Amino acid sequence: QFMEPETFKELKVETEGQFGGLGIRIAIRDEWLTVVTPLPGTPAYKIGILPGDKIVKIEGESTQGITIEDAVKKLRGTPGTKVNITIMREGTKEPIDYTIVRDIIKIEAVKYKTTLKDGIGYLALYEFNSNSFEETTKALNNLKKQGMTGLILDLRNNPGGLLDQVVKISKLFIGENKLIVYTEGRRSPRQEYRADEKAFFSDIPMVTLVNGGSASGAEILAGALQDNKRSLIIGSQTFGKASVQSVINLDKGYGLKITTAKYYTPSGRKIQRSEKPVVKGSTETYTGGIIPDIVINVSKETEAKLYQQRDEIYVSGKEPVSAIKKEEQIEDVVLSRAYEILNAIMFYQNIKK
């Protein structure tokens, strides 16, 4: 795919963690522009856009058959300007219109909390941008200083990002030169990415959370942890987006993006979702993605409320608080179950000692 200077510039800016727009990751599904996930704290996230929403119109024009590049040009723009979109959402019969004000999108790669009760730490990894490994390492070290003895790694709604960051973060948890991920294509020989001999956090018991908004790099990390039996995966089936795209710098600001191979987990599972569904009776399912060890599906309404609860309001001199009032908050069932499971794992390991 040949990229004009403007398009190529957008690609580079995004991986650096800052751009102007709505704050959503998008993909093409069944010829329609589809939201992979909104990014926390962004205009799309705050207004209620959900993973899986199909953007059927932009400024009144149908998006059927649109390319990702054309969609990006229409959705991104000068901060403070407005864009009108129409979406179709699973479970609703009528389209929903939104007017969203564009803003500078600064991607927060990592959010972590001080250790929960029983020494369990929580770390949410939102994006694999150029700062993710550094931020993750800092967060883990801080949690360890606070007495962390177990970790909940939250990859829900993480749309992916830079492969080198994914591999570096995987190496924090996986050692012994184990396989993290490999790529293979029709004309591309197998290329393996392996862990180092030692991992700084290889002994910390952990569980990992995923959902339908976990894609690409998040799926690579989850797949590596699952196949190497390093972490239980909890939640719902991931998005299924993992193709190798090489970017080549050309003269005068132009660029070339080529899909050359697919990503596979250490056990050989292809992460990329199948183009056609597998029909079993009246049910349609897709192969690909990461299927959790413990599946917990929640409703769209519950996910929408939880997305809002995770957003925080920052006031100078005060601790950040949830954007949703405490009395209006709902239980994060997946997180609660993960805490119970991890606590049981830690208890069992202590008995063995």
Side-chain angles (χ1 to χ4, degrees), residues 22 144 203 248 320:
L22 308 184
K144 192 172 182 179
D203 296 329
I248 302 171

Side-chain angles (χ1 to χ4, degrees), residues 1 57 65 78 90 118 163 198 225 243 326:
Q1 176 192 350
K57 290 183 181 179
T78 305
E90 183 180 353
D118 301 316
L163 177 62
K198 294 183 179 180
L225 293 170
S243 58
K326 189 173 182 179

